[in-house]
Amino acid sequence: MPNRILVVDDDPVNQKLVVIVLKQAGYETFTANTGADALNRVEEIRPDLIISDVEMPEMNGYELTRQLRQKTTTAHSPIMILTSHDTVQEKIKGFEAGADDYMTKPFEPSELQARVRVLLRRVTALPAETHKIKGKVIAVFSLRGGIGTSTIAANLATGLAQLWGCGTGLIDLVLTSGQSALMLNLPLRKTWADLARLPVEEIDAELIERVSLSHRSGAFVLAAPNRPEQAELITGDKVAHVITTLRERYHYLVLDLPHDFSATTLAGLDNADEILLVLAPELASLHAAACALDVFDTLKYPRQIIRLVLNWTFERRGLARKEIEDALQRLIDVVLPFAPDAFVPAINRGVPPVLETPPTPLAALFEDWAYALSQPEHHKPPPATPSPAYQRVAARLAQRQAKR
Ligand SMILES: Nc1ncnc2c1ncn2[C@@H]1O[C@H](COP(=O)(O)OP(=O)(O)OP(=O)(O)O)[C@@H](O)[C@H]1O
Ligand SMILES: [Mg+2]
């Protein structure tokens, strides 16, 4: 895919001249006539590079650069100032505003192309997803074991990856006996233990990526160690560091958490944007959920980040949804049906139900759920090349709207 360059200039002739030179070099170009127009459209255009004129009405190129640096999408994008001002003071102003390069007009087409190439080399040297993102961290948690937390985490991580075609991390924090890699049929070549031997300041994004296991869905797994004693090497500050590092590169991180409030679990919960609190429709599970909610209150987690998930892990009559909601004084967000025929063979085969083809009703449920958990920037505007999963979600949404 050609790199995308946004050219900002109020003068139509200058704008055209730059566009012609860039097109000759094979780039895809976009134009904006004002700074405000550029700022409004960068989210939609997602340029790899921005070239801006200085003298423009209302907002000049320096101010535009400053504002682009404050936006998540363009905070780290290369910006070139292209102007007729050629004094050193002007150049300094440009660099101080946050520009990466400064070129004076009139320009030599070959020089512009060469400078653009250099600026873009920086971007293409990094994986496509490193254009500074604030990834969403989704923690899946329950104080009671065996009620589907790992199943939900694996389905949502692979579901999100398939939906948006973006790298999505499944971080296994069940450090003594995690099953995430197994659930996706990934051999445990590398695990958290490989990272944990290093001091926290030595752990960087490249290293985390190298010890992660890639799944065909586009998700990657940071797997739990294969020997329980290795778990001791992993500390809360390492977990927090790994999450903050990865969320700058990936749109979604899903945390599979154990059923405790250990330092590593708390590091996951503290960094979560959303906590899915799972319970089954029975008393012990209800009690565990009530305890967890109490702790969340004590920790001052905002109420709106916690969502209740009712998972029917058994067939016999259980507590009614309303009874649970009344007892916890909260509404249940998602209900998963009892589906042993789907979940149990899924673990044996290492294929989460969300990836079943042709898609089953359970796959649809996870796809819709993944969509509902997605970041606003993924909802709007719709993707230019929608994934098959996205097309299915959109068709179901349209059907539901038509019925209303
Ligand atoms: N809705 C469901 N219907 C039927 N079986 C289910 C359902 N949800 C989960 N299961 C099954 O329940 C078992 C436990 O699920 P899972 O391992 O995801 O739970 P967990 O809470 O992570 O457990 P652990 O305490 O071992 O971490 C698995 O065999 C899974 O396939
Ligand atoms: Mg588990």
Side-chain angles (χ1 to χ4, degrees):
M1 266 208 316
N3 282 117
R4 302 154 73 83
I5 303 179
L6 173 62
V7 180
V8 192
D9 203 318
D10 62 319
D11 181 320
V13 177
N14 281 338
Q15 195 184 77
K16 190 108 200 157
L17 282 172
V18 177
V19 165
I20 292 170
V21 171
L22 295 173
K23 283 206 164 132
Q24 273 167 358
Y27 299 113
E28 189 174 356
T29 56
F30 301 83
T31 53
N33 304 331
T34 64
D37 188 22
L39 287 167
N40 282 334
R41 291 176 50 223
V42 284
E43 244 99 70
E44 164 207 340
I45 300 173
R46 303 227 152 222
D48 298 306
L49 166 73
I50 299 146
I51 300 181
S52 177
D53 178 32
V54 171
E55 292 297 332
M56 293 186 288
E58 284 169 38
M59 187 189 301
N60 70 21
Y62 301 140
E63 183 51 31
L64 170 63
T65 305
R66 253 186 296 278
Q67 296 208 23
L68 285 168
R69 287 290 175 238
Q70 277 159 24
K71 276 177 133 11
T72 335
T73 353
T74 47
H76 301 269
S77 310
I79 301 176
M80 181 197 279
I81 297 272
L82 185 59
T83 169
S84 44
H85 300 296
D86 63 354
T87 64
V88 173
Q89 282 82 356
E90 284 295 325
K91 282 188 190 172
I92 291 173
K93 262 198 213 167
F95 288 123
E96 279 179 353
D100 299 280
D101 199 3
Y102 192 100
M103 225 183 128
T104 45
K105 286 187 274 197
F107 58 85
E108 232 351 278
S110 56
E111 187 184 348
L112 178 65
Q113 289 171 347
R115 284 177 185 249
V116 162
R117 234 184 353 261
V118 170
L119 286 172
L120 285 171
R121 207 178 287 150
R122 228 184 60 198
V123 184
T124 39
L126 300 167
E129 307 210 24
T130 45
H131 310 253
K132 287 294 164 164
I133 297 166
K134 173 131 179 12
K136 179 170 180 181
V137 180
I138 301 166
V140 192
F141 180 75
S142 157
L143 274 184
R144 186 152 167 82
I147 56 164
T149 29
S150 301
T151 302
I152 291 168
N155 278 280
L156 288 177
T158 48
L160 281 161
Q162 292 269 288
L163 192 55
W164 304 116
C166 62
T168 296
L170 173 57
I171 314 295
D172 197 339
L173 288 173
V174 189
L175 297 168
T176 49
S177 60
Q179 306 289 316
S180 294
L182 178 87
M183 285 193 168
L184 300 181
N185 199 18
L186 295 170
L188 279 179
R189 273 180 288 99
K190 299 271 182 210
T191 73
W192 263 106
D194 295 288
L195 279 186
R197 278 194 291 268
L198 295 167
V200 66
E201 60 279 7
E202 296 295 326
I203 302 175
D204 60 17
E206 281 73 27
L207 200 65
I208 306 170
E209 281 162 3
R210 280 172 52 194
V211 305
S212 299
L213 313 171
S214 313
H215 185 255
R216 62 178 169 87
S217 61
F220 64 89
V221 179
L222 188 49
N226 39 19
R227 290 210 318 274
E229 69 273 17
Q230 294 171 325
E232 283 168 24
L233 296 168
I234 302 150
T235 52
D237 63 334
K238 285 183 189 164
V239 170
H241 174 72
V242 165
I243 295 173
T244 17
T245 306
L246 287 179
R247 75 183 314 173
E248 287 181 0
R249 296 199 158 210
Y250 297 96
H251 287 282
Y252 302 100
L253 297 180
V254 181
L255 313 181
D256 179 6
L257 292 171
H259 319 294
D260 58 35
F261 280 115
S262 62
T264 46
T265 307
L266 281 171
L269 289 169
D270 286 349
N271 283 288
D273 299 298
E274 208 145 305
I275 299 173
L276 308 179
L277 181 61
V278 187
L279 73 159
E282 40 93 22
L283 267 180
S285 192
L286 180 62
H287 182 248
C291 286
L293 287 171
D294 263 358
V295 176
F296 294 161
D297 271 348
T298 313
L299 294 171
K300 302 218 167 7
Y301 291 167
R303 258 182 106 87
Q304 69 275 15
I305 73 163
I306 298 149
R307 302 189 178 273
L308 291 186
V309 178
L310 177 60
N311 187 8
W312 280 85
T313 46
F314 53 84
E315 198 170 20
R316 60 185 189 276
R317 251 183 68 81
L319 297 170
R321 175 176 186 158
K322 180 84 173 52
E323 280 176 292
I324 299 172
E325 290 183 332
D326 288 349
L328 297 176
Q329 294 285 295
R330 304 231 183 185
L331 295 178
I332 287 168
D333 214 55
V334 174
V335 180
L336 277 178
F338 178 59
D341 298 345
F343 284 118
V344 181
I347 295 187
N348 296 337
R349 284 171 48 225
V351 181
V354 71
L355 301 182
E356 282 297 345
T357 43
T360 58
L362 195 58
L365 189 155
F366 277 112
E367 277 179 351
D368 291 346
W369 191 5
Y371 180 86
L373 287 171
S374 300
Q375 305 235 59
E377 74 214 50
H378 268 148
H379 284 263
K380 268 192 190 126
T385 41
S387 65
Y390 179 88
Q391 291 174 30
R392 290 190 292 270
V393 172
R396 284 192 294 271
L397 271 176
Q399 239 173 22
R400 261 176 247 137
Q401 264 156 10
K403 272 192 198 149
R404 272 197 214 129

